[in-house]
């Protein structure tokens, strides 16, 4: 069966990948028949109407899905197509309460003209009552007009399609999680719409474990929890997780939305020193928006040169012994005990390479994702080809989708990978894989995006060969 998906006019590059991810999640065989980024309409083939309902019900960037009845370059062509394709369906709706809707893209119709077009469908043998408020069936006439058709006085659309409404999406969910209504946010909190789309691309669903290693105020864990996953998170800055406590904290955000039971837990750590055991496939999905290092250089726990600060190394060892002794003596008495480091110890941090961090994310995902589990993370890059940061790769991860959100001179990409089962990984490629080695020491040397950002992504002048 052929269906028409009506998309919202937002994040065009993300729309089809989200629908394809939902088809994978629902186990639906979907064939894309026609799609263009410049159009809000996508034609797909699905096995049944029930599959269409399942496909669209949790989409964020789609608005609705319709059973395709007819289409053509003109209204007359659409009528002919409708008669050939659907005449055997007409008896099903003979006594149904119905109405006709109009949807014009880049064009406009007066109420009188709309009514006259709707009346051209009078040959349909529908004897049921017409209801504009609570119809059983809704038939929509979609018109796709040329760009700027109204001021140019274009008289006819480029295409006309007719569809029967099947199901609406979950686009209204964006309003529920709007950051303007959230009690606890920061300057880097990802907006609700893109957080939910990221969770969809990563296939968040009930019974799955999801993890965000750069959780911050919890935008991604909240989005994954909304779709039923058990969410976990960590951040190098423990204060961003704790906030002011109560409603002004990551936990408070979960409680605000009634998702407390979907929060597995949070802890303070950086990705390179996470207490999660490597080699154990535990996560069904990893979602994150790593720091770009623009406001300040990227940092991880550690010392640039431990030999120059032996006293810090000694304090770190004493802090570790404090935690160990406290755990041994108190854990048996309190199984819910949260171990803390020595109260007067502040772990040191050292500069870190942005490119190495991207590699570390992929390595971590390859070691902890279940087979076919997904990694979805955001990466900034310059729009200029000479300064563009290449997509990171890993032998154990298959690239699924790259969605681009452009800004002025730079963009950020939502990159999604799927974990390849071990028996399908090329051992020769895996053996040859090595992480990038950073040679810089300053924040700009370690982060090419940061350097380009503050230079406004202007191409550096090459020295004269003479």
């Amino acid at each position: 069966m052929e269906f028409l998906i009506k998309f919202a006019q937002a994040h065009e590059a993300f729309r089809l990948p989200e629908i394809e991810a939902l088809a994978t999640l629902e186990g639906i065989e979907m064939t894309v028949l026609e799609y263009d980024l410049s159009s809000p309409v996508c034609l797909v083939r699905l096995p049944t109407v029930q599959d269409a309902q399942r496909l669209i019900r949790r989409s964020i960037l789609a608005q609705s899905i319709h059973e395709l009845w007819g289409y053509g370059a003109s209204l007359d062509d659409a009528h002919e197509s409708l008669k050939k394709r659907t005449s055997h369906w007409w008896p099903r709706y003979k006594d149904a309460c119905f109405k006709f809707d109009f949807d014009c893209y880049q064009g406009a119709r007066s109420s009188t003209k709309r009514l006259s077009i709707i009346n051209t469908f009078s040959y349909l043998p529908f004897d049921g009552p017409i209801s504009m408020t609570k119809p059983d069936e809704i038939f929509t006439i979609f018109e796709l007009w040329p760009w700027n058709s109204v001021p140019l006085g274009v008289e006819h659309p480029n295409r006309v399609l007719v569809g029967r409404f099947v199901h609406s999406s979950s686009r209204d969910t964006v309003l529920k999680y709007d950051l303007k209504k959230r009690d606890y946010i920061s300057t880097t909190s990802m907006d609700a719409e893109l957080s939910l789309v990221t969770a969809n691309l990563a296939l968040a669903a009930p019974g799955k474990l999801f993890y965000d290693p750069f959780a911050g105020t919890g935008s991604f864990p909240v989005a994954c929890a909304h779709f039923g996953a058990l969410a976990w998170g960590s951040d190098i800055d423990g204060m961003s997780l704790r906030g002011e406590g109560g409603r002004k904290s990551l936990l408070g955000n979960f409680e605000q939305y009634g998702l407390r039971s979907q929060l597995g837990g949070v802890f303070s750590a950086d990705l390179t020193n996470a207490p999660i055991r490597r080699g154990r496939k535990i996560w069904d999905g990893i979602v994150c928006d790593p720091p770009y290092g623009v406001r300040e250089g990227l940092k991880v726990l550690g010392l640039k040169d431990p030999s120059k600060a032996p006293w810090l190394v000694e304090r770190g060892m004493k802090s570790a012994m404090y935690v160990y002794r406290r755990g041994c003596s108190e854990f048996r008495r309190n199984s819910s005990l949260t171990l803390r480091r020595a109260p007067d110890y502040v772990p040191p941090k050292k500069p870190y390479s942005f490119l190495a961090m991207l590699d570390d994310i992929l390595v971590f995902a390859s070691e902890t994702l279940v087979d076919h589990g997904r990694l979805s993370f955001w990466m900034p890059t310059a729009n200029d080809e000479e300064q563009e940061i290449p997509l990171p790769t890993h032998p154990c991860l298959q690239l699924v989708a790259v969605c681009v959100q452009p800004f002025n001179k730079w963009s950020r990409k939502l990159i999604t990978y799927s974990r390849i089962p071990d028996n399908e990984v090329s051992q020769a490629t895996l053996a040859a894989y090595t992480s990038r080695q950073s040679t810089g020491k300053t924040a700009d040397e370690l982060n090419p995006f940061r350097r380009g950002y503050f230079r406004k992504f202007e191409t550096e002048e090459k020295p004269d060969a003479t």
Side-chain angles (χ1 to χ4, degrees):
M1 298 181 67
E2 295 181 1
F3 295 86
L4 180 156
I5 298 175
K6 173 63 189 307
F7 284 116
Q9 288 303 298
H11 305 297
E12 289 82 356
F14 295 69
R15 299 186 303 197
L16 187 58
E18 186 202 30
I19 288 296
E20 291 174 336
L22 295 179
T24 300
L25 179 64
E26 297 289 347
I28 299 172
E29 184 178 347
M30 181 185 75
T31 302
V32 178
L33 303 176
E34 183 181 318
Y35 177 66
D36 190 288
L37 288 176
S38 63
S39 171
V41 168
C42 175
L43 302 185
V44 299
R45 181 179 290 115
L46 300 170
T48 66
V49 172
Q50 290 72 28
D51 289 325
Q53 294 171 341
R54 290 165 49 215
L55 175 69
I56 208 71
R57 62 188 177 185
R58 57 177 275 179
S59 173
I60 300 301
L61 297 179
Q63 292 179 331
S64 54
I65 192 167
H66 307 255
E67 191 177 66
L68 184 61
W69 277 42
Y71 58 92
S74 66
L75 181 61
D76 290 339
D77 292 341
H79 279 301
E80 290 300 318
S81 173
L82 186 149
K83 292 173 182 178
K84 291 179 181 179
R85 293 166 52 91
T86 66
S87 58
H88 58 290
W89 291 346
W90 297 352
R92 303 179 192 174
Y93 310 101
K94 177 178 175 58
D95 300 316
C97 177
F98 71 98
K99 78 169 183 176
F100 270 80
D101 261 351
F102 234 92
D103 191 312
C104 294
Y105 175 64
Q106 298 184 158
R109 293 285 196 185
S110 66
S111 299
T112 302
K113 186 60 177 178
R114 291 188 180 198
L115 182 59
S116 66
I117 292 176
I118 290 173
N119 286 335
T120 63
F121 291 86
S122 59
Y123 58 84
L124 293 172
F126 297 164
D127 299 330
I130 297 175
S131 174
M132 303 305 292
T133 55
K134 295 183 179 180
D136 297 326
E137 304 293 342
I138 302 174
F139 298 90
T140 305
I141 303 167
F142 296 91
E143 290 188 341
L144 306 181
W145 292 73
W147 169 253
N148 224 22
S149 61
V150 175
L152 292 176
V154 179
E155 296 183 359
H156 302 289
N158 288 337
R159 201 164 189 209
V160 179
L161 305 97
V162 183
R164 182 183 71 86
F165 175 80
V166 173
H167 206 275
S168 58
S169 69
S170 293
R171 184 155 179 77
D172 289 346
T173 306
V174 175
L175 299 177
K176 176 182 178 181
Y177 293 99
D178 189 349
L179 291 184
K180 295 178 182 178
K181 304 175 184 177
R182 189 172 298 179
D183 289 333
Y184 179 56
I185 62 172
S186 70
T187 56
T188 58
S189 295
M190 181 66 72
D191 72 80
E193 184 175 27
L194 291 176
S195 296
L196 292 164
V197 170
T198 303
N200 268 341
L201 283 169
L203 310 183
K208 293 187 175 184
L209 299 180
F210 267 65
Y211 173 57
D212 180 357
F214 307 95
T217 61
S219 289
F220 289 122
V222 165
C224 294
H226 166 77
F227 290 120
L230 185 63
W232 295 75
S234 67
D235 200 285
I236 192 172
D237 181 9
M239 292 186 64
S240 66
L241 303 174
R242 297 187 297 272
E244 300 175 12
R247 296 180 65 88
K248 299 289 186 179
S249 65
L250 184 148
L251 175 60
N253 284 339
F254 273 78
E255 292 176 342
Q256 177 181 349
Y257 299 116
L259 296 173
R260 177 63 182 85
S261 62
Q262 298 302 121
L263 178 61
V266 294
F267 53 92
S268 179
D270 76 72
L271 186 67
T272 63
N273 293 280
I276 298 171
R277 183 176 298 178
R278 302 293 185 98
R280 298 286 294 273
K281 298 181 178 180
I282 57 174
W283 304 122
D284 296 284
I286 299 172
V287 291
C288 59
D289 182 24
Y292 303 161
V294 172
R295 291 180 175 84
E296 59 182 14
L298 292 173
K299 302 283 186 178
V300 295
L301 298 179
L303 294 168
K304 286 191 291 185
D305 188 352
S307 63
K308 293 183 178 179
W311 60 276
L312 267 176
V313 177
E314 183 180 355
R315 290 196 65 187
M317 295 176 63
K318 289 182 178 179
S319 179
M321 290 300 297
Y322 170 86
V323 171
Y324 175 76
R325 287 195 298 269
R326 189 166 184 259
C328 291
S329 61
E330 299 184 27
F331 186 76
R332 295 185 182 88
R333 297 196 302 270
N334 184 1
S335 60
S336 63
L337 176 68
T338 300
L339 298 182
R340 300 178 183 275
R341 61 176 177 263
D344 61 342
Y345 177 70
V346 178
K349 299 176 183 178
K350 63 180 180 180
Y352 196 54
S353 165
F354 177 73
L355 298 179
M357 180 189 67
L358 297 181
D359 280 338
D360 284 338
I361 293 173
L362 268 62
V363 171
F364 178 82
S366 71
E367 295 176 347
T368 60
L369 278 176
V370 302
D371 290 349
H372 304 296
R374 289 198 172 187
L375 163 68
S376 289
F377 75 94
W378 290 81
M379 184 191 84
T381 185
N383 293 335
D384 184 89
E385 292 183 1
E386 295 184 6
Q387 302 180 65
E388 186 177 6
I389 298 175
L391 298 180
T393 60
H394 191 282
C396 295
L397 299 175
Q398 179 182 3
L399 184 64
V400 174
V402 180
C403 306
V404 182
Q405 182 186 21
F407 296 104
N408 185 15
K409 293 186 178 182
W410 67 283
S411 303
R412 60 179 180 180
K413 298 178 178 180
L414 175 57
I415 313 171
T416 301
Y417 303 85
S418 176
R419 177 59 162 92
I420 303 173
D422 289 335
N423 60 358
E424 299 177 14
V425 175
S426 169
Q427 295 304 310
T429 305
L430 185 59
Y433 178 82
T434 55
S435 299
R436 296 186 181 93
Q437 297 297 316
S438 175
T439 58
K441 295 183 179 180
T442 68
D444 281 351
E445 291 171 339
L446 293 170
N447 188 342
F449 175 77
R450 185 180 194 273
R451 181 174 63 249
Y453 184 90
F454 285 111
R455 292 179 179 177
K456 299 182 180 180
F457 298 104
E458 296 178 356
T459 304
E460 298 181 15
E461 294 185 2
K462 297 181 180 180
D464 193 341
T466 59

